[in-house]
Amino acid sequence: SQQIGSFAEMAGDKPAQKPLASRAYFDATTVQTGMSSFSATLPTRVTLDSAREPSRFPILTEDFDARFWSEVVAAEQEKGFLKTETSNAFDLPLISGQAQVFIDGTLTSRVSVPYALPGDELELSLGVDDFIIVKRKEILRETEDAGIIDKTTVLKRAYSVEVTNFHPMAHEVKVFERFPISRNEKIEVKRKLPNASSVEIEEDTGVFFWKESLNAKQTKDYKVEFEVVHPREWNLDGQI
């Protein structure tokens, strides 16, 4: 597992002007809990600047064990989205609100944190992952007429999804794609690739994904292929 420090630190609109307090400072902070509330008492007085903008200062800090991965939706974005799964390591509830996300000491995004009791699991989106690069190409686009009695048109489509991990270490990715879904009995969708046994397909949406760990600088190519068969008098070529 990896750790992300001060992961649930609530943030105002104004960035911190001073470095985070020492561990001894946080250890000296006393916390009292009641049936429906809690309070924290700081070990020293806090001086606030006179300003129109809100100020913030640290109260508690904790390291959360977390698992990281990136999700790819190649049809919409040429980069991945970094996500994490963790749990509330504080002995207090997390109040829902905005949090700042720092990765390697750099502010990368702001996220909404839901209310979470101690030990509750959290899944959060951490913004665009610039180290996961995606290229999606159409490699087959053909239209054929078929059938002698039942005259039909067959639309053949295939796509290549190339994903490269530019992280300096192995990194897990989930690559999302989808097959078309027919809502008409006269339209048939034939799924060619990937094999139905290698992915789990949501029948209502046609969405599926590959999941694996890519080594540093590794590139993996995924293939999607399908055919759509429909009555010849219908024109669906521009819709698929």
Side-chain angles (χ1 to χ4, degrees):
S1 64
Q2 304 179 52
Q3 287 188 330
I4 180 166
S6 300
F7 187 78
E9 178 187 347
M10 293 299 125
D13 295 329
K14 183 179 180 181
Q17 301 297 318
K18 300 178 181 179
L20 206 61
S22 66
R23 171 60 68 174
Y25 172 90
F26 295 113
D27 289 342
T29 299
T30 58
V31 177
Q32 294 180 325
T33 59
M35 290 293 293
S36 60
S37 64
F38 64 89
S39 64
T41 303
L42 303 182
T44 61
R45 291 183 177 182
V46 175
T47 300
L48 300 179
D49 295 333
S50 177
R52 292 180 179 275
E53 297 181 358
S55 299
R56 65 184 178 91
F57 51 90
I59 297 177
L60 299 170
T61 187
E62 189 59 77
D63 290 333
F64 287 14
D65 289 333
R67 181 177 70 87
F68 296 93
W69 73 95
S70 293
E71 295 187 353
V72 170
V73 184
E76 300 179 5
Q77 180 79 21
E78 293 184 346
K79 294 182 180 180
F81 291 90
L82 186 62
K83 303 197 71 173
T84 186
E85 184 178 71
T86 185
S87 59
N88 178 13
F90 284 113
D91 293 329
L92 302 170
L94 286 179
I95 301 174
S96 60
Q98 293 294 307
Q100 290 181 331
V101 177
F102 291 84
I103 298 178
D104 296 330
T106 301
L107 176 64
T108 59
S109 63
R110 290 177 172 83
V111 299
S112 295
V113 177
Y115 179 84
L117 293 171
D120 278 358
E121 293 185 355
L122 295 165
E123 182 177 309
L124 301 173
S125 296
L126 304 182
V128 174
D129 186 348
D130 292 322
F131 291 91
I132 298 295
I133 303 300
V134 185
K135 295 180 181 179
R136 188 178 193 264
K137 300 177 182 178
E138 186 177 70
I139 57 177
L140 175 64
R141 187 177 186 87
E142 294 181 356
T143 301
E144 295 181 355
D145 290 335
I148 298 176
I149 299 176
D150 295 330
K151 296 181 179 181
T152 59
T153 296
V154 181
L155 306 178
K156 297 182 177 181
R157 303 288 187 267
Y159 301 91
S160 168
V161 180
E162 184 182 279
V163 181
T164 303
N165 172 29
F166 284 100
H167 285 281
M169 75 288 288
H171 187 69
E172 183 180 301
V173 296
K174 293 174 70 174
V175 182
F176 286 84
E177 270 291 342
R178 67 182 297 272
F179 289 117
I181 295 296
S182 173
R183 306 297 183 189
N184 190 308
E185 61 181 11
K186 293 184 178 181
I187 300 176
E188 180 185 6
V189 178
K190 297 182 179 180
R191 300 166 178 171
K192 300 294 185 178
L193 289 174
N195 190 290
S197 62
S198 63
V199 294
E200 185 174 337
I201 303 171
E202 295 181 4
E203 292 301 328
D204 291 342
T205 64
V207 173
F208 60 90
F209 63 85
W210 296 274
K211 177 182 176 181
E212 63 182 293
S213 179
L214 299 182
N215 294 324
K217 306 301 188 293
Q218 180 183 355
T219 297
K220 183 67 180 289
D221 193 30
Y222 303 90
K223 294 290 194 303
V224 182
E225 184 176 351
F226 58 87
E227 295 179 359
V228 177
V229 183
H230 64 82
R232 193 176 301 177
E233 63 269 20
W234 296 0
N235 183 11
L236 302 181
D237 190 47
Q239 303 178 39
I240 298 174

